[in-house]
């Protein structure tokens, strides 16, 4: 029996996923660490730490160490990885080989930080794979041929756009605007419109439950009761919100994504560009699941866009 199992890690800004050879996806946790400010000790990682976001007493802080796509908090990233690797690698003494996905266009310094973090966390060897490339592999896109393909991966912190051909990335760009920004614009819009203050977790729930960028295909609008605080009095407040209002809030971030994708497309050479127009764009990442986003992008870009059914797991499967 083979004891040492190689591990693939999707080190995302919102979620970390681990795949172990022969066992499948064994870990899926939010990329959050809770630490005691006084002692520096890690109290929780993943889902348990996430529940503490925005709710922690004075001495505890819950942080997202990869908030903006790359390691913004190196020490925390390392501690988080260490805990996750411990969880999945309990019974083996031999250190695993690990392949980690990183945003395309990360600097050498950032690359070294990821490698270092994975080594410190207990890997024997560390390999890196570019995220959009892993996403394309995971979505089973045919990428070894000369035909150009475009992948748009909308995560929590970043939107990655890449053109792939002959098994490599030809052009890529990363925008620091994705799912988190959608949550922020929802929270701001509801504050201005209804005088209610909500946290980022509530905003995310709203987005996933009733968020959309185009009217729903069944033609019905949705509503939802939410609770928060009154902007002026800070008293508890409950209101019913409409999906139209949430849609309004999502216009600005989605428009910015369109501009960004267009810019990347413009930088693509004409032959690959016509392949992309023919083959369409693969939309992936959790943010890509926003209702109507595939149709919206298709309309705005005038290129077919299809959203992957396995948007949340493509990267780790690709790893
Ligand atoms: P990352 O790769 O950066 O860790 P993910 O690909 O895991 O990010 O996607 C996380 C983002 O996707 C979050 O902002 C989350 O709110 C968003 N998300 C997840 N599911 C949905 C959904 N059904 N509709 C809209 N957004 C979603
Ligand atoms: Mg991702």
């Amino acid at each position: 029996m083979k004891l040492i199992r190689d591990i693939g890690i999707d080190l995302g800004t919102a979620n970390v996923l681990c795949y172990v050879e022969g066992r499948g996806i064994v870990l899926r946790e939010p990329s959050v660490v809770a630490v005691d400010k006084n002692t520096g000790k890690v109290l929780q990682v993943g889902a348990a730490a996430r529940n503490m976001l925005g709710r922690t007493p004075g001495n505890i802080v819950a942080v997202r160490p990869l908030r903006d796509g790359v390691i913004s908090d190196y020490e925390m990233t390392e501690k988080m990885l260490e805990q996750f690797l411990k969880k999945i690698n309990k019974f083996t003494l031999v250190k695993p080989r690990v392949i980690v996905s990183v945003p395309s266009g990360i600097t050498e310094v950032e690359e070294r930080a990821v490698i270092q973090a994975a080594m410190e966390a207990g890997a024997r060897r560390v390999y890196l794979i570019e995220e959009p490339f892993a996403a394309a592999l995971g979505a089973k896109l045919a990428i070894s041929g000369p035909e150009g393909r475009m992948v748009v991966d909308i995560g929590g912190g970043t939107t990655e756009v890449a053109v792939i051909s002959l098994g490599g990335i030809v052009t890529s760009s990363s925008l620091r605007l994705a799912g988190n920004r959608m949550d922020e614009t929802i929270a701001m819009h509801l504050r201005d419109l209804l005088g209610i203050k909500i946290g980022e977790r509530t905003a995310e729930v709203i987005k996933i439950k009733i968020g959309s960028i185009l009217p729903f295909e069944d033609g019905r609008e949705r509503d939802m009761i939410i609770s928060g605080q009154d902007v002026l009095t800070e008293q508890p407040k409950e209101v019913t919100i409409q999906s139209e209002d949430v849609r309004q809030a999502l216009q600005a971030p989605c428009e910015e994504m369109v501009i960004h994708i267009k810019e990347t497309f413009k930088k693509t050479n004409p032959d690959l560009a016509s392949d992309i127009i023919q083959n369409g764009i693969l939309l992936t990442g959790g943010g890509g699941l926003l209702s109507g986003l595939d149709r919206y992008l298709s309309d705005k870009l005038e290129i077919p866009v299809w959203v992957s059914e396995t948007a949340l797991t493509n990267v780790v499967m690709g790893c």
Side-chain angles (χ1 to χ4, degrees):
M1 196 173 92
K2 194 177 167 212
L3 281 174
I4 319 149
R5 293 190 153 137
D6 295 336
I7 300 175
I9 302 180
D10 170 4
L11 190 59
T13 61
N15 297 296
V16 176
L17 284 82
C18 298
Y19 180 100
V20 176
E21 222 185 340
R23 280 171 55 199
I25 297 173
V26 294
L27 182 133
R28 204 170 170 160
E29 299 255 10
S31 344
V32 185
V33 188
V35 270
D36 186 320
K37 259 199 290 194
N38 301 332
T39 62
K41 203 173 164 271
V42 173
L43 303 172
Q44 298 281 6
V45 293
R50 183 183 205 262
N51 291 333
M52 293 177 155
L53 268 181
R55 300 201 168 119
T56 51
N59 61 324
I60 302 172
V61 281
V63 291
R64 292 180 182 276
L66 295 141
R67 207 168 171 117
D68 299 317
V70 284
I71 295 195
S72 36
D73 190 332
Y74 167 72
E75 223 186 299
M76 287 303 150
T77 304
E78 184 226 302
K79 286 184 170 158
M80 183 176 74
L81 262 186
E82 191 183 328
Q83 296 298 321
F84 286 153
L85 284 181
K86 257 194 205 155
K87 269 195 190 178
I88 60 173
N89 213 36
K90 273 180 254 179
F91 308 110
T92 50
L93 292 170
V94 187
K95 293 179 166 185
R97 288 189 305 177
V98 169
I99 181 157
V100 188
S101 65
V102 290
S104 55
I106 99 174
T107 65
E108 257 176 64
V109 176
E110 290 163 336
E111 273 185 4
R112 271 199 303 262
V114 177
I115 293 173
Q116 188 84 31
M119 295 292 278
E120 301 270 335
R124 170 164 51 104
R125 292 200 62 167
V126 182
Y127 305 88
L128 302 181
I129 178 170
E130 286 178 289
E131 241 166 42
F133 192 67
L137 282 174
K140 304 217 162 70
L141 219 60
I143 50 173
S144 55
E147 263 188 57
R149 309 266 176 186
M150 183 179 265
V151 176
V152 174
D153 180 345
I154 307 175
T158 59
T159 295
E160 307 278 328
V161 182
V163 177
I164 300 174
S165 165
L166 290 169
I169 290 182
V170 185
T171 320
S172 72
S173 60
S174 172
L175 174 72
R176 292 193 175 190
L177 174 153
N180 296 341
R181 180 70 66 82
M182 295 183 193
D183 304 343
E184 286 164 23
T185 56
I186 289 172
M188 282 193 300
H189 189 72
L190 295 179
R191 188 194 55 203
D192 296 346
L193 189 75
L194 304 166
I196 188 168
K197 271 205 293 196
I198 55 167
E200 61 180 82
R201 301 210 322 137
T202 306
E204 186 184 19
V205 172
I206 295 171
K207 173 184 71 180
I208 293 175
K209 279 209 170 145
I210 65 164
S212 65
I213 188 64
L214 290 179
F216 296 101
E217 274 176 308
D218 64 9
R220 282 177 37 237
E221 291 298 338
R222 277 77 163 143
D223 56 28
M224 180 178 167
I225 299 171
I226 59 161
S227 38
Q229 284 171 301
D230 186 279
V231 173
L232 297 175
T233 64
E234 315 230 299
Q235 290 295 308
K237 181 168 177 152
E238 224 177 49
V239 294
T240 302
I241 58 166
Q242 308 297 329
S243 48
E244 289 101 317
D245 296 333
V246 181
R247 188 172 309 136
Q248 189 62 38
L250 292 169
Q251 296 302 319
C254 291
E255 274 163 23
E256 233 180 286
M257 279 175 197
V258 169
I259 293 172
H260 181 74
I261 300 169
K262 276 189 177 160
E263 269 166 19
T264 312
F265 184 78
K266 279 188 205 151
K267 281 187 254 163
T268 307
N269 92 43
D271 286 330
L272 293 179
S274 41
D275 292 345
I276 294 165
I277 296 167
Q278 283 280 314
N279 293 329
I281 296 173
L282 169 72
L283 179 60
T284 184
L289 295 173
L290 179 74
S291 171
L293 191 56
D294 50 348
R295 282 181 292 138
Y296 171 88
L297 291 176
S298 233
D299 288 354
K300 298 275 175 177
L301 300 166
E302 297 177 67
I303 298 173
V305 175
W306 84 96
V307 61
S308 167
E309 279 170 26
T310 47
L312 285 161
T313 52
N314 284 334
V315 171
V316 78
M317 293 307 286
C319 288

